[in-house]
Amino acid sequence: MKGLFCQAAKSDAEPKFVIQETTLPDVLGKHQIRVKVKACGLSPLDFKLIQEVGIQKDFLPVGREVAGVVLEVGPKVTSFQPEDEVVGVLPLDSLCSGLCEVIDVDEYYLVQKPEKLSSVCVAGALRDGVCAYTALHTHARMAAGHTLLVMDGASPFGLMCIQLACYHGVKVLTTSPSPQKQTFLEQLRPSIGIQDPLVARVIPVHNGSPDLLSAVLEETGGLGVDIVVDSEVRLHGDEEGEEKLLPHKHDIISVLGVGGHWVTSHKNLQLDPPDCRLLYLKSASVSFLNPEVWTASSAQQGRYLHILKDIVEKMAAGVLRPQTQEAVPLYEATVAMETIQRHPKKKVVVQL
């Protein structure tokens, strides 16, 4: 049986992804289930985080968002039975690559997959769904009547945030880094036949675009937004290339309203005293979005399973409609993973 693994890189060398043979134990653990994988979503590896949590392996398993069918269950498993369709995210310290034909996983990381939801669709969108749910519900305490600013709403994560927020009656503003993405966002609708757009305003941030702060204040009557969700931010003003299109940290703090909440994905955010003073004056707060926190600790396992179940149910009902992902075969997985590692916002699903 073959799976995709990452050979640990030395110093600053690029990681090497390889397909190699692997085996499973003959006997399942008491709470484990054996799953035949149908599809697996690929996401970039955070080598620094893996090192910080103490995972030391010569070959790291790759591919963790899986969808498949239960083949066999352990003696203490109560949630599943053979032939059930399941979906979930393998833990950070998993011994199995999600691209193996068959994997063993604890029942506490999986939920039932609705029959009409395709394996490729859910494997490609599950991680972004968990991130959006964590950002808006767990961190920002989103509620009807709030105003949300999503940075780069056309990204897979941004799109999930927009759809989830609109479902709960939140007014959504978003930014677009290109004219093509702006057109896509302006044409978003909650469902077929409804003319009202999902996004109240799309703010262009490409060359020659208006100031983000003035656009947000104009749309909110000078009050600012209740929630900002970013994917990355600029810490300085002299970045070049794609980073030049990212929002500056001071701009994000400036668009927050009184009591606002900023959810950031920036791992090494640095706030200067003037930034902290502005946050204090607004009584605003900052949260860090780490999608690995749910599987890295069992402290809130039940809550995590509830989140997974709610996400797949909303996807099956059409509330969350991720962009269609083109599935690739296993032999193309190494090249696909190298691309994702260089461009983290790209999404690829491997169909087995």
Side-chain angles (χ1 to χ4, degrees), residues 214-271:
S214 62
V216 169
L217 293 181
E218 178 186 343
E219 192 64 36
T220 59
L223 298 177
V225 297
D226 300 292
I227 307 166
V228 177
V229 176
D230 71 52
S231 52
E232 277 290 342
V233 296
R234 281 188 296 136
L235 300 182
H236 311 288
D238 54 354
E239 284 89 345
E240 297 294 335
E242 291 184 3
E243 289 190 357
K244 191 175 182 180
L245 299 177
L246 294 175
H248 192 274
K249 58 180 179 179
H250 185 74
D251 293 336
I252 291 183
I253 297 172
S254 299
V255 303
L256 281 172
V258 172
H261 200 98
W262 172 19
V263 183
T264 181
S265 298
H266 199 292
K267 303 178 181 68
N268 301 306
L269 181 67
Q270 298 176 16
L271 296 180

Side-chain angles (χ1 to χ4, degrees), residues 24-301:
L24 294 176
D26 295 331
V27 181
L28 277 174
K30 292 182 180 180
H31 292 279
Q32 283 190 321
I33 63 176
R34 186 155 288 174
V35 178
K36 178 178 176 58
V37 180
K38 286 187 172 182
C40 177
L42 298 181
S43 299
L45 295 177
D46 187 338
F47 294 106
K48 187 174 183 181
L49 176 63
I50 291 171
Q51 183 181 19
E52 287 172 340
V53 297
I55 299 175
Q56 296 181 345
K57 299 177 183 177
D58 292 333
F59 290 90
L60 297 168
V62 176
R64 295 170 49 217
E65 302 97 78
V66 297
V69 179
V70 176
L71 297 177
E72 184 183 349
V73 299
K76 295 292 184 72
V77 172
T78 58
S79 304
F80 305 100
Q81 57 187 7
E83 297 187 8
D84 281 349
E85 292 193 85
V86 294
V87 60
V89 181
L90 302 182
L92 200 60
D93 60 351
S94 171
L95 299 176
C96 295
S97 163
L99 277 78
C100 292
E101 185 179 350
V102 179
I103 61 172
D104 289 349
V105 58
D106 285 349
E107 63 174 323
Y108 309 115
Y109 296 111
L110 301 173
V111 295
Q112 298 270 5
K113 181 183 78 67
E115 186 178 347
K116 66 178 182 179
L117 190 60
S118 80
S119 298
V120 171
C121 176
V122 71
L126 190 62
R127 181 183 176 89
D128 291 314
V130 171
C131 288
Y133 207 108
T134 305
L136 296 178
H137 284 294
T138 308
H139 290 313
R141 305 294 182 185
M142 170 184 67
H146 279 169
T147 303
L148 164 70
L149 173 62
V150 179
M151 311 306 296
D152 192 8
S155 66
F157 167 61
L159 186 59
M160 283 289 190
C161 288
I162 290 172
Q163 293 173 340
L164 187 60
C166 288
Y167 175 77
H168 288 281
V170 173
K171 179 181 179 180
V172 178
L173 314 177
T174 188
T175 63
S176 67
S178 70
Q180 294 80 8
K181 289 188 176 183
Q182 181 169 352
T183 302
F184 168 76
L185 289 166
E186 289 172 345
Q187 294 175 347
L188 282 178
R189 297 292 183 271
S191 62
I192 297 173
I194 297 180
Q195 297 302 315
D196 295 334
L198 275 177
V199 180
R201 180 166 178 176
V202 181
I203 304 168
V205 293
H206 38 88
N207 293 338
S209 301
D211 178 53
L212 176 64
L213 176 60
S214 62
V216 169
L217 293 181
E218 178 186 343
E219 192 64 36
T220 59
L223 298 177
V225 297
D226 300 292
I227 307 166
V228 177
V229 176
D230 71 52
S231 52
E232 277 290 342
V233 296
R234 281 188 296 136
L235 300 182
H236 311 288
D238 54 354
E239 284 89 345
E240 297 294 335
E242 291 184 3
E243 289 190 357
K244 191 175 182 180
L245 299 177
L246 294 175
H248 192 274
K249 58 180 179 179
H250 185 74
D251 293 336
I252 291 183
I253 297 172
S254 299
V255 303
L256 281 172
V258 172
H261 200 98
W262 172 19
V263 183
T264 181
S265 298
H266 199 292
K267 303 178 181 68
N268 301 306
L269 181 67
Q270 298 176 16
L271 296 180
D272 301 319
D275 298 325
C276 295
R277 180 66 182 176
L278 187 54
L279 284 169
Y280 166 76
L281 291 173
K282 293 176 181 248
S283 191
S285 57
V286 181
S287 290
F288 290 88
L289 179 60
N290 176 10
E292 307 297 349
V293 71
W294 295 111
T295 57
S297 169
S298 59
Q300 300 190 54
Q301 197 71 40

